[in-house]
Amino acid sequence: MSINRREFLKKAGAIAALGLGGAVTLDAFELLEPLKAADFTSDNKLAAQRWAMVIDMSKLSQADIDEIIKGCHELHNVPDMGNAKDEIKWIWTDTYDHVFPGGENHYLDEKTKTMPFLTLCNHCDHPPCVRVCPTQATFRREDGVVGMDMHRCIGCRFCMAACPYGARSFNYWDPKPHIARINPEYPHRSKGVVEKCTLCVDRLDQGLPPLCVEKSKGAIVFGDLEDPQSEVRKVLSTHYSIRRKPELGSQPSVYYLIGGEEHA
């Protein structure tokens, strides 16, 4: 997975020529050479053709959401910078209008409009962030997880510009002093690198589901999207679901249930 200076400049030049200033469509990234995704194996790992999750917002209380965010950030040594400008986030909440822009419904009930929607990396089937990374610090595994190698990251932030979901954070400062209690089982980052949700690949490789799934008390369903018998497929086949910005063609692997009503 090595990359020389010439290859880096070639990719960087192609990206700059696209004029990245925010979210971009997949067509633009076809100009770039596809990157090979890394894959990690373990005897005890949970296996799938493509991991996906369904978040049933009607089953999540504010206390549940707080516990999920706290658990994820503590497990993965996510720093608390103390201000919104330098915020580092792997999983967080936002309003309906921000999570699903372009899908405005003037007659949407007030509760849905104002409720906190749990948000994280969408682990897209066609992730634009992977296409633009010049060092392969971000990559897509064979099971659909969009991983992040913080040691390989050079802090160019091309992936942040390409991500249409705002799912990546940049360490402008040394994060270590801002971690209340460092978890020695998970690597902490350094200044000048990008980080994001990795769908708990460390837990998947140990045979465990993502921590957010475990702490959701059944509100988040996790499984193989390609398996018709998986719980994810069963839920999606009996409930109406939505995804973030489907018009971009990135094919997010995170689905949302709004109201939890079944099809007739």
Side-chain angles (χ1 to χ4, degrees):
M1 291 177 63
S2 62
I3 180 170
N4 59 35
R5 184 173 181 272
R6 182 186 297 274
E7 291 171 332
F8 171 82
L9 292 176
K10 179 181 177 182
K11 290 180 181 292
I15 295 165
L18 294 174
L20 291 180
V24 289
T25 61
L26 292 176
D27 292 340
F29 291 110
E30 293 302 326
L31 297 173
L32 303 177
E33 180 182 353
L35 298 178
K36 183 179 179 181
D39 184 29
F40 304 113
T41 58
S42 170
D43 292 340
N44 300 321
K45 68 178 290 187
L46 294 180
Q49 294 183 63
R50 183 187 173 193
W51 290 116
M53 65 169 54
V54 180
I55 303 176
D56 188 342
M57 294 305 306
S58 68
K59 295 181 178 180
L60 283 173
S61 67
Q62 185 61 59
D64 294 331
I65 291 173
D66 292 343
E67 184 66 22
I68 288 170
I69 295 174
K70 180 174 180 286
C72 169
H73 286 188
E74 287 183 349
L75 176 66
H76 298 109
N77 290 322
V78 177
D80 181 3
M81 295 301 186
N83 65 83
K85 178 177 177 293
D86 300 319
E87 183 183 21
I88 306 296
K89 54 190 181 184
W90 282 37
I91 187 166
W92 69 102
T93 60
D94 209 335
T95 61
Y96 178 91
D97 288 343
H98 289 158
V99 176
F100 305 105
E104 293 85 357
N105 178 354
H106 295 298
Y107 305 104
L108 193 67
D109 66 280
E110 203 61 32
K111 179 182 178 181
T112 302
K113 284 182 181 179
T114 58
M115 69 188 298
F117 278 80
L118 203 58
T119 311
L120 65 158
C121 172
N122 283 272
H123 297 278
C124 304
D125 202 25
H126 304 294
C129 57
V130 170
R131 289 292 185 88
V132 302
C133 179
T135 64
Q136 297 182 333
T138 189
F139 52 88
R140 185 179 183 275
R141 301 196 338 168
E142 295 301 320
D143 58 7
V145 174
V146 177
M148 187 72 205
D149 184 343
M150 273 77 77
H151 298 290
R152 186 178 289 270
C153 178
I154 60 173
C156 68
R157 288 176 283 169
F158 289 156
C159 63
M160 293 181 68
C163 176
Y165 307 104
R168 292 168 173 269
S169 302
F170 185 73
N171 286 286
Y172 288 96
W173 314 101
D174 181 3
K176 290 189 290 295
H178 303 278
I179 302 173
R181 183 176 59 199
I182 293 179
N183 173 16
E185 301 299 320
Y186 197 86
H188 51 267
R189 276 68 72 192
S190 60
K191 175 182 176 181
V193 300
V194 176
E195 58 180 280
K196 70 170 195 72
C197 157
T198 61
L199 210 61
C200 284
V201 290
D202 50 312
R203 288 173 59 89
L204 293 180
D205 286 349
Q206 297 170 20
L208 300 171
L211 188 65
C212 60
V213 176
E214 184 176 286
K215 288 184 171 293
S216 73
K217 303 176 183 177
I220 302 178
V221 178
F222 183 71
D224 188 351
L225 194 61
E226 300 298 327
D227 179 6
Q229 302 304 315
S230 70
E231 193 64 25
V232 160
R233 285 286 295 275
K234 291 178 181 178
V235 171
L236 291 177
S237 66
T238 56
H239 295 71
Y240 175 74
S241 64
I242 59 177
R243 291 185 290 177
R244 301 188 65 192
K245 301 182 180 180
E247 68 277 5
L248 297 181
S250 57
Q251 295 295 321
S253 295
V254 178
Y255 295 77
Y256 292 85
L257 302 185
I258 309 297
E261 293 182 1
E262 294 192 4
H263 287 303

